[in-house]
């Protein structure tokens, strides 16, 4: 392993862990406000909500990218500047983002749904700073994913990287599932960042013309969710790509091969993910009806290929294996299971008839926190743990594995459970205080505060241990 | 050419300005009723939604058929009388409740339903109310030239619906659904400065047409495909150049 790959990955992971702790603290404070333990007021609540959402989406996206970069450099030569450039942009972007929210008080939510940002009260330069932050992040991440796509294309053609020859049963270079999934995900990442580019351009135009030009809210909402939904989906797949590479080895089994069904399922995923976002517009009656049906069908099919194949592969890998259950393999295995549970929650919500009831209730944060907090985060933490085992001088204490894992699972499950129950009881999302009609929300928020604190403690221990074992390598 | 004409026709359509009035508060002006006392308009809308129309009884033109049409439409509905208030307001100070009632085809033997009110707007309040409702009127000798308006006003005094001229069946439906508290979706007619609009409204046919703003949704995907193809081409070209530049070409060597 060359030192650049090692050090840059280490730096990415340390940064991710630190920002994660900050973002959890923001989330915990929101829950405390909803539990009526603190009294920070609505403006501060929405400032935290905006920061929390974007930090979380961003941080786990770059964690996935760092994992991809690390494994990918075992296959092909990946230019270093992509990662360095993305790192600088990410740090800078996060700083500007925090200035825009914490200082300039921008608070229109992480996907800043048009035209809300233009009406936000109590913030002067918030919107402009927020747009600048997004621009910096977008440029950095777009370049990074293009650099990696180009690296893959140096070794494989587009058709090969998409494993079309495996699907057709023709000859050609063996393309591992890792390459296939990375390629598919990076394409999706590029598309959704480009959607953000179009969106931002329209925002800038309106901003600069000071109301002289306005945009169609329907178009803006389509672009927003093309960006937001797709990004959140793809970042999970980035984690999966690494899982396909590492998990079989952890179980002492042969590497996964790209069979025809793996090929088909990820090619299908590539297309389906780009259309599933329509389910965010079910309540937008102006959206062409055909889009609603496409959204419904694609949302049903979205999880099928990727999830079914992955769950099947993971289960057969574990079955009759010599798996030595390390923190990494535990996190991978349970991450896949929680991902599946969150997926079911998501599909329930994406059924149009159910969406009439569940729309904008806490069911929504319930399902996406399940496959993020307990799915995607677990995938990236599994990679992080595996990485620490590879490069760290010291081993993790077995007792600590149990403590960390239990805190994350118990805390995480309890935390999302409070959201699910809230959703079932029609507690609305994105509300800082609950009135008497949904006073159950307050009790549930208290439960969530306890559980999220457990999760936070688990992450603090994890981060300290990771730093203790690996941080020295940064300066070696 | 064809496309140019179609595109041009998108941009030349006239937008009705019904949207501009929506959710705006109407002024709570005093009006005169049968009892000839002045009463604020809010006495009718503060309890339940109010359907408001403006007319005057000496009108030689549209007022009479307009009010009669409203009467018939309301009579055909099974919405209970206590669900809403109907107010016919005259902007002609020579009017009174009796003349207006006659305009609506009611008489002593055929009295209006209990939720109907006929009232006259005092001259002082005319400008203010007309401006907020978008009532255009002009005095022509003894008579008035004016547009016909039907409005639905919420209990907070906000304009929920506004129709110029005779409402279409669709517009009646929306109005009745609003009264019975059903969800009535509204997609706002976008101004001419919104070149990215997904739809265009055609007032002539009352229908919506897709506009090219919708195509912008395709940009990210199309651009991604283009970028991939370009990347692949650049890399291929770069690779063949490299091979061409490396010296020994084995096939020329005699074995
Ligand atoms: C223990 C950790 C976490 C805590 C305590 C937490 C807490 C919260 C809370 C209280 C909300 C607002 C819920 C509402 O609408 O009522 C929220 C929203 C959100 N969270 Fe988390 N969260 C955590 C982890 C995560 C993770 C891991 C992610 C993503 C990777 C994430 C992404 C988001 C997003 C995108 C929103 C929506 C923000 C918006 O509506 O604009 N959170 N979170
Ligand atoms: Cu979505």
């Amino acid at each position: 392993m060359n030192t650049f790959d090692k050090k840059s990955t280490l730096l990415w992971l340390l940064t991710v862990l630190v920002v994660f702790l900050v973002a959890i603290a923001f989330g915990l404070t929101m829950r405390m406000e909803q539990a009526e333990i603190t009294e920070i007021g609505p403006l501060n609540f929405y400032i935290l909500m905006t920061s929390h959402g974007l930090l979380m989406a961003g941080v786990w996206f770059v964690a996935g990218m760092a994992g991809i970069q690390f494994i990918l450099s075992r296959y092909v030569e990946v230019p270093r500047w992509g990662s360095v450039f993305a790192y600088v942009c990410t740090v800078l972007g996060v700083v500007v983002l925090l200035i825009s929210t914490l200082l300039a008080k921008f608070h229109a939510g992480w996907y800043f749904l048009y035209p809300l940002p233009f009406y936000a009260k109590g913030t002067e330069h918030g919107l402009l700073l927020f747009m600048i932050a997004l621009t910096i992040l977008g440029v950095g991440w777009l370049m990074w994913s293009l650099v990696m796509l180009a690296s893959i294309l140096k070794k494989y053609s587009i058709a090969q990287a998409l494993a079309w020859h495996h699907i057709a049963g023709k000859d050609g270079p063996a393309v591992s599932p890792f390459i296939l999934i990375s390629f598919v995900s990076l394409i999706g990442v590029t598309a959704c960042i480009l959607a953000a580019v179009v969106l931002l351009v329209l925002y800038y135009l309106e901003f600069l013309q000071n109301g002289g030009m306005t945009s169609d809210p329907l178009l803006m909402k389509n672009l927003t969710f093309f960006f937001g939904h797709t990004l959140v989906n793809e970042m999970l797949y980035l984690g999966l790509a690494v899982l396909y590479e590492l998990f079989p080895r952890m179980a002492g089994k042969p590497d996964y091969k790209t069979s025809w069904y793996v090929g088909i399922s990820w090619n299908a995923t590539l297309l389906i993910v780009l259309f599933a976002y329509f389910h965010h517009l079910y309540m937008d009656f102006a959206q062409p009806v055909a889009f609603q049906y496409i959204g419904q069908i694609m949302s049903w099919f979205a999880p099928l290929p990727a999830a079914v194949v992955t769950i099947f592969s993971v289960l057969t890998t574990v079955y009759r294996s010599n798996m030595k259950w390390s923190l990494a393999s535990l996190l991978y295995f349970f991450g896949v299971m929680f991902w599946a549970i969150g997926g079911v929650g998501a599909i329930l919500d994406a059924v149009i008839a159910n969406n009439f009831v569940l729309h904008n209730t806490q069911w929504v944060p319930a399902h996406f926190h399940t496959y993020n907090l307990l799915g995607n985060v677990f995938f990236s933490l599994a990679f992080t743990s595996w990485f620490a085992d590879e490069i760290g001088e010291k081993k993790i204490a077995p007792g600590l594995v149990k403590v960390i894992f239990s805190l994350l699972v118990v805390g995480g499950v309890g935390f999302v459970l409070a959201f699910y129950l809230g959703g079932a009881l029609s507690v609305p999302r994105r509300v800082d205080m609950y009135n008497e009609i949904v006073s159950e929300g307050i009790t549930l928020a208290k439960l969530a505060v306890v559980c999220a604190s457990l999760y936070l403690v688990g992450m603090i221990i994890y981060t300290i241990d990771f730093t203790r074992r690996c941080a020295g390598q940064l300066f070696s | 050419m064809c496309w140019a004409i179609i595109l041009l026709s998108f941009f030349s359509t006239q937008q009705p300005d019904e949207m501009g009035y929506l959710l705006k508060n109407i002024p709570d002006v005093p009006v005169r009723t049968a009892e000839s006392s002045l009463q604020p308009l809010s006495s009718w809308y503060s309890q339940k939604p109010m359907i408001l129309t403006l007319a005057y009884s000496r009108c030689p033109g549209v007022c009479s058929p307009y009010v009669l049409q409203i009467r018939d439409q309301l009579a055909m509905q099974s919405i209970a009388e206590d669900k809403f208030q109907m107010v016919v307001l005259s902007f002609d100070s020579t009017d009174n409740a009796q003349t207006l009632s006659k305009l609506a085809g009611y008489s002593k033997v055929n009295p209006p339903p209990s939720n109907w009110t006929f009232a006259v707007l005092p001259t002082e309040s005319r400008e203010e109310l007309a401006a907020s409702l978008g009532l255009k009127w002009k005095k022509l000798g003894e008579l008035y030239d004016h547009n016909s308006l039907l409005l639905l006003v919420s209990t907070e005094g906000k304009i929920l619906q506004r129709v110029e001229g005779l409402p279409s069946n669709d517009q009646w439906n929306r109005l009745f659904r609003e009264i019975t508290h059903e969800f009535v979706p509204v997609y706002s007619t976008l101004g001419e400065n919104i070149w990215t609009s997904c739809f265009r409204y055609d007032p002539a046919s009352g229908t919506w047409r897709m506009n090219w703003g919708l195509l912008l949704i395709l940009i990210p995907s199309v651009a991604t495909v283009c970028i991939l193809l370009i990347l692949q081409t650049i890399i291929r070209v770069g690779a063949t150049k490299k091979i061409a530049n490396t010296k020994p070409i084995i096939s020329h060597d005699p074995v």
Side-chain angles (χ1 to χ4, degrees), chain A residues 27-228:
Chain A
L28 189 57
T29 315
M30 278 191 278
R31 259 340 216 158
M32 281 162 63
E33 183 75 358
Q34 290 169 335
E36 299 186 351
I37 299 170
T38 53
E39 226 173 284
I40 58 171
L43 179 62
N44 288 323
F45 178 88
Y46 289 111
I47 287 174
L48 290 183
M49 191 185 88
T50 307
S51 321
H52 170 84
L54 194 62
L55 281 184
M56 286 293 193
V59 102
W60 293 108
F61 167 71
V62 295
M65 292 287 275
I68 295 281
Q69 161 105 19
F70 186 76
I71 305 285
L72 188 61
S73 53
R74 294 169 157 196
Y75 284 83
V76 291
E77 202 183 316
V78 189
R80 293 172 178 187
W81 67 268
S83 172
V84 175
F85 182 69
Y87 188 82
V88 174
C89 287
T90 303
V91 172
L92 199 66
V94 166
V95 170
V96 179
L97 166 72
L98 288 178
I99 294 175
S100 81
T101 54
L102 300 182
L103 294 182
K105 306 207 176 302
F106 181 78
H107 60 278
W110 84 277
Y111 53 70
F112 56 105
L113 190 58
Y114 182 88
L116 184 62
F118 287 109
Y119 291 94
K121 300 252 161 60
T123 167
E124 276 251 338
H125 308 292
L127 174 58
L128 183 61
L129 284 165
F130 188 78
M131 282 170 11
I132 293 175
L134 283 184
T135 308
I136 300 174
L137 294 173
V139 169
W141 297 348
L142 184 60
M143 291 319 288
W144 199 10
S145 73
L146 290 182
V147 164
M148 288 205 258
L149 278 173
S151 315
I152 296 177
L153 287 177
K154 271 192 198 140
K155 188 158 174 187
Y156 310 95
S157 67
I158 296 176
Q160 288 168 344
L162 288 173
W164 289 352
H165 58 296
H166 286 308
I167 297 175
K170 296 218 178 86
D171 287 342
V175 172
S176 70
F178 169 79
I179 293 290
L180 168 65
I181 302 172
S182 304
F183 194 67
V184 164
S185 313
L186 289 170
I187 293 175
V189 166
T190 307
C192 74
I193 297 180
L194 287 176
V197 170
V198 180
L199 184 65
L200 279 175
V201 166
L202 291 173
Y203 258 100
Y204 277 120
L205 284 178
E206 179 157 352
F207 192 86
L208 295 176
Q209 302 199 5
N210 216 350
M213 184 211 122
T214 45
S215 289
D216 185 344
L218 185 66
L219 171 68
M220 298 298 260
K221 191 166 179 184
N222 271 287
L223 289 170
T224 300
F225 283 100
F226 192 140
F227 157 66

Side-chain angles (χ1 to χ4, degrees), chain B residues 4-7 17 34 86 99 101 115 126 138 192 214 216:
Chain B
I5 293 174
I6 292 174
L7 269 181
D17 45 9
M86 177 70 220
T99 55
S101 173
N115 59 338
R126 204 154 53 179
K138 204 165 55 190
E192 285 296 325
L214 217 50
L216 285 181

Side-chain angles (χ1 to χ4, degrees), chain A residues 146 149-150 153-154 157-158 183 187 190-191 194-195 198 202 205 212-216 218-219 222 226 277 285-286 288, chain B residues 183 185-187 190 193-199 210 213-214 216-217 219-221 223-224 227-229 231-232 235-236:
Chain A
L146 290 182
L149 278 173
L153 287 177
K154 271 192 198 140
S157 67
I158 296 176
F183 194 67
I187 293 175
T190 307
L194 287 176
V198 180
L202 291 173
L205 284 178
M213 184 211 122
T214 45
S215 289
D216 185 344
L218 185 66
L219 171 68
N222 271 287
F226 192 140
Y277 85 85
F285 47 84
Chain B
F183 174 62
V186 177
Y187 179 67
L190 302 168
N193 59 343
I194 304 187
W195 49 272
T196 59
S197 75
C198 298
F199 297 98
M210 284 196 204
L214 217 50
L216 285 181
I217 301 173
I219 289 186
S221 313
T224 307
I227 289 177
L228 274 180
L229 292 174
L231 275 180
Q232 170 155 301
I235 290 167
R236 287 254 170 100

Side-chain angles (χ1 to χ4, degrees), chain B residues 3-67:
Chain B
W3 279 108
I5 293 174
I6 292 174
L7 269 181
L8 272 179
S9 67
F10 280 159
F11 289 106
S12 59
T13 50
Q14 277 249 305
Q15 308 289 326
D17 45 9
E18 278 161 25
M19 287 296 162
Y21 295 94
L22 287 196
L23 298 180
K24 302 269 159 61
N25 273 90
I26 65 168
D28 187 12
V29 294
V31 296
R32 227 170 346 101
T33 57
E35 295 81 42
S36 83
S37 60
L38 280 179
Q39 237 177 302
L41 202 51
S42 57
S43 7
W44 290 282
Y45 64 70
S46 61
Q47 301 300 322
K48 38 190 118 148
M50 167 178 80
I51 300 178
L52 174 67
T53 186
L54 292 110
Y56 77 110
S57 55
R58 292 179 301 127
C59 182
V62 74
C63 282
S64 167
Y66 194 68
V67 174

